[in-house]
Amino acid sequence: MLSCVNPDQISGLAWLGCYLSTAKHMAFYQSFLIVLLLIAAVAPLAILLGLLSASASRARFFLIRLPGTLYIAMVRGIPDIVFFLFVPLALDQGIEYLRHRSLCSDQTGSVWQGNDFVVCDIAKMPLSSASQWVHDFYGFALAVVAFALVFGAFAGNVIAGAMAAVPKAQLETAEAYGMTRRQVYWRIMFRQMWIYALPGLSNLWMILIKATPLLFLLGIQDIVYWARELGGAKTSAFTYPHPDWRIWYFLGLLVFYLMMTWVSERGFTYLNKQFSRGQSMAINPQKEGA
Amino acid sequence: MSASCLASFQDYGLRAIGYGQRILPKSDITLCDQFALIGSGLIWNVFFGVLAVCLGYWFAMAIAVGKASERGIYRRFSSGFIFLFRGSPLFIQFFFAYELFVLLPKVGVTLDLWIAVIDLETRWLTRAWLGALLVLICNTTAYSAEIFYGALRASPRGEIEAANAYGMTPWQMFWKVQWPNMMRLAWPSYTNEAIFLFHATTLVFFSGFPAWRQSGDALYYANYFADKTFNPFVPYPIIAFYFIVLTLLIILIFGLVNRRLNRHLPDARRSRLMIRPNLIR
């Protein structure tokens, strides 16, 4: 077994082996799991939000239709990164503001004092006495909400298109059989639309993968953070001194993402084949742009 | 517009390109300051977006034709290029490119163009205006090339056969038959691509490229104000407003081109602009 006690006395591959298994590198490897965790958490939430907004945008009642269409349209016109910066901060302030109002109702005055946002100590979220993992988890949860909001709108867009692509004749037939609107929705529309939504959703999945490095902007210790941290030049004061190696770390990340894309492409080709099986008509759902 | 508001615009309206007040507002930040400074940052977004679209368009066409080529080497190179830039996040591409440019040896090349002598220095690559622009050009080239390639393959077969029958050279056939068809079919998707690209320019100053003398883009300043005032509810809606206007402008311009591309077709067969933008790369 290798001994990594005195790294300055070993060289070559042994040194590299020791270097790549330091505690900080272990944290780096774990941050890849954070990326996968984010994708796993955001994907179902985004589909749910997409279903809600797409259904809302098709509602008969004006007051339900308006927020649905507005939500989908808004995310389209504004760069997503604005949402990633805005939503967590706004959400954090909103939660702290509400807690401030309910927990410290004796304090008067605005929470925005000049250039500061001041709430009383017990309204802080999470409490300053909370352990580190609570802070980490809270930050991650805010990131998940921001991602889900943006991708929910994208998914809403795709699903609304898929709902419109379900053959009208089928819906009319269902109505002619005396089904209620709810029955038509659940028994015909909801089941048929997935095949039309699949190309768009697969595109969205690719985009979600490629959006994950933006976690870095939310102050989460993700792969970009560690790549910069570990790659930066280390003087001989460190146990493992090395020059600026950031380019190699980023090359690693590039390869990681290319591999994720390649595997996903394979997976979706397979899924598409599976879904198309047994469909009597040649389905050519409109391809997503870009 | 009140006098103080006019002063804000005079001080900060061109701050992003180095004119006006050198020091950014620190306290007593007014709404006008925010509008002026974020608006000046938009100059950079437009600079990156317009140049990348204009240059990327030509490269994309070359790559698309390369991907459709019968020669294996062109096809493989084009497919590889497209996979590399479409398969990885733009954010990582920026970081990687910056580190790469930093490592390049510092040399200068002098180009003598008869009318003007240009000194090219590799250190400029580490500046956002050139380095990030190069990455954006490569990125939009890859995405547009995929769109153009799809359109090229969907060009009507009969027209190509007719062109052959008329004895057109391949060069003539491309510019007179395939290219107009390709543009017409690709234009709606290409409009979306242009919109994403303008949105993607906001990433530049959040990746490796440093903002030189605090001259950043719109999001750089919006983020600055959100940090300074600790109130995200003003600067982010302002940048959102600016980008919605920019997006509408792009749709307008591209819509006019789309009308011209489809002018020979009866109304029912025209391809409409389907605006489905904002998919991150």
Side-chain angles (χ1 to χ4, degrees):
Chain A
M1 190 56 212
L2 275 169
S3 152
C4 297
V5 186
N6 291 318
D8 44 339
Q9 282 166 23
I10 50 181
S11 60
L13 274 183
W15 185 88
L16 197 64
C18 285
Y19 171 68
L20 289 178
S21 53
T22 54
K24 280 198 165 179
H25 272 87
M26 289 303 158
F28 175 51
Y29 305 140
Q30 272 174 19
S31 63
F32 282 90
L33 285 182
I34 290 188
V35 170
L36 300 179
L37 199 66
L38 179 83
I39 296 175
V42 168
L45 276 177
I47 298 248
L48 196 71
L49 265 175
L51 275 173
L52 281 178
S53 57
S55 305
S57 71
R58 292 173 62 83
R60 271 186 303 185
F61 187 44
F62 174 73
L63 280 180
I64 301 179
R65 196 170 61 225
L66 189 70
T69 33
L70 206 65
Y71 167 59
I72 295 178
M74 204 173 66
V75 180
R76 274 195 220 164
I78 302 168
D80 28 56
I81 168 176
V82 172
F83 281 93
F84 292 142
L85 293 178
F86 174 74
V87 170
L89 196 54
L91 215 60
D92 189 39
Q93 286 197 358
I95 292 172
E96 288 195 343
Y97 177 76
L98 288 179
R99 280 171 61 94
H100 178 78
R101 271 289 130 95
S102 65
L103 294 175
C104 320
S105 45
D106 50 322
Q107 286 188 19
T108 50
S110 170
V111 287
W112 280 285
Q113 295 175 1
N115 290 347
D116 263 323
F117 181 79
V118 187
V119 292
C120 58
D121 281 341
I122 50 168
K124 284 260 162 56
M125 186 75 189
L127 293 172
S128 45
S129 58
S131 56
Q132 184 56 39
W133 75 266
V134 178
H135 283 270
D136 288 347
F137 181 78
Y138 183 65
F140 184 74
L142 287 180
V144 168
V145 172
F147 271 76
L149 273 181
V150 169
F151 281 90
F154 292 163
N157 210 5
V158 169
I159 291 173
M163 282 178 171
V166 173
K168 278 267 173 320
Q170 295 201 13
L171 305 179
E172 280 164 10
T173 311
E175 270 177 33
Y177 269 103
M179 286 192 194
T180 61
R181 264 180 79 87
R182 182 183 300 242
Q183 282 175 324
V184 173
Y185 179 86
W186 284 113
R187 295 193 187 171
I188 314 291
M189 173 94 88
F190 189 76
R191 280 152 211 232
Q192 288 275 38
M193 69 179 193
W194 292 108
I195 178 69
Y196 299 99
L198 189 67
L201 289 181
S202 70
N203 203 12
L204 219 51
W205 171 264
M206 302 288 195
I207 294 158
L208 175 60
I209 290 176
K210 282 183 275 174
T212 49
L214 298 179
L215 265 181
F216 170 67
L217 296 179
L218 305 182
I220 288 169
Q221 300 193 347
D222 76 329
I223 47 182
V224 179
Y225 169 86
W226 283 113
R228 282 163 60 107
E229 185 79 10
L230 294 168
K234 299 279 186 294
T235 57
S236 49
F238 288 83
T239 329
Y240 294 94
H242 62 75
D244 190 346
W245 278 356
R246 275 180 295 190
I247 188 165
W248 302 114
Y249 281 91
F250 281 116
L251 188 67
L253 296 194
L254 210 63
V255 171
F256 167 71
Y257 278 108
L258 286 176
M259 265 167 53
M260 293 273 282
T261 305
W262 187 74
V263 170
S264 307
E265 263 175 9
R266 281 295 177 88
F268 278 113
T269 314
Y270 174 77
L271 263 187
N272 211 5
K273 239 183 233 161
Q274 291 292 312
F275 270 116
S276 309
R277 198 184 276 170
Q279 293 276 354
S280 59
M281 50 193 176
I283 291 177
N284 186 17
Q286 42 181 182
K287 282 239 170 80
E288 280 285 306
Chain B
M1 202 192 288
S2 69
S4 73
C5 199
L6 201 65
S8 304
F9 272 87
Q10 275 169 352
D11 284 348
Y12 300 117
L14 293 173
R15 173 63 179 76
I17 47 175
Y19 294 101
Q21 199 64 257
R22 229 174 71 77
I23 297 164
L24 298 184
K26 288 231 160 57
S27 54
D28 301 327
I29 296 169
T30 63
L31 196 64
C32 290
D33 287 343
Q34 304 208 11
F35 257 104
L37 200 52
I38 295 175
S40 86
L42 205 67
I43 296 173
W44 279 112
N45 295 106
V46 172
F47 165 85
F48 285 127
V50 168
L51 277 184
V53 166
C54 290
L55 294 171
Y57 173 83
W58 300 101
F59 294 129
M61 220 138 59
I63 296 279
V65 172
K67 194 175 174 182
S69 155
E70 279 158 21
R71 287 278 295 277
I73 178 160
Y74 295 144
R75 206 171 52 235
R76 266 198 294 277
F77 172 78
S78 301
S79 307
F81 182 87
I82 291 174
F83 178 69
L84 180 67
F85 282 97
R86 285 185 79 218
S88 61
L90 179 65
F91 198 51
I92 303 285
Q93 288 166 20
F94 276 135
F95 273 118
F96 180 73
Y98 179 72
E99 301 302 336
L100 188 73
F101 294 150
V102 167
L103 290 185
L104 285 181
K106 307 237 177 320
V107 289
V109 188
T110 308
L111 274 187
D112 196 351
L113 294 175
W114 294 295
I115 34 172
V117 179
I118 300 175
D119 285 308
L120 290 176
E121 290 183 47
T122 47
R123 72 186 164 84
W124 286 351
L125 283 170
T126 58
R127 293 271 175 77
W129 72 265
L130 184 60
L133 183 63
L134 278 182
V135 177
L136 281 170
I137 290 174
C138 288
N139 197 273
T140 188
T141 296
Y143 278 89
S144 316
E146 188 66 23
I147 296 171
F148 289 162
Y149 170 71
L152 191 63
R153 298 213 340 165
S155 292
R157 230 179 143 84
E159 293 189 17
I160 293 169
E161 280 162 13
N164 267 328
Y166 270 111
M168 284 190 183
T169 62
W171 184 256
Q172 276 178 322
M173 191 167 79
F174 179 76
W175 288 110
K176 290 210 185 312
V177 179
Q178 283 178 302
W179 182 71
N181 268 313
M182 183 165 100
M183 284 303 107
R184 182 173 63 81
L185 293 172
W187 206 255
S189 312
Y190 188 59
T191 307
N192 285 338
E193 162 56 24
I195 293 172
F196 311 151
L197 184 75
F198 275 85
H199 287 181
T201 56
T202 51
L203 275 177
V204 170
F205 290 103
F206 283 86
S207 54
F209 292 95
W212 193 58
R213 287 188 186 162
Q214 290 191 309
S215 299
D217 76 328
L219 190 61
Y220 176 82
Y221 290 127
N223 189 47
Y224 170 84
F225 283 127
D227 279 352
K228 273 277 174 295
T229 63
F230 223 76
N231 182 359
F233 296 98
V234 179
Y236 289 126
I238 291 177
I239 188 178
F241 162 77
Y242 275 126
F243 264 95
I244 288 175
V245 172
L246 191 64
T247 306
L248 290 178
L249 209 66
I250 298 169
I251 292 173
L252 184 79
I253 294 170
F254 276 70
L256 287 179
V257 177
N258 192 49
R259 263 232 320 257
R260 184 168 168 81
L261 287 170
N262 284 291
R263 69 191 185 284
H264 59 290
L265 291 176
D267 235 14
R269 275 186 57 207
R270 295 192 173 187
S271 50
R272 304 216 176 274
L273 278 187
M274 299 263 294
I275 306 306
R276 207 179 293 135
N278 211 336
L279 304 177
I280 315 161
R281 40 213 58 230

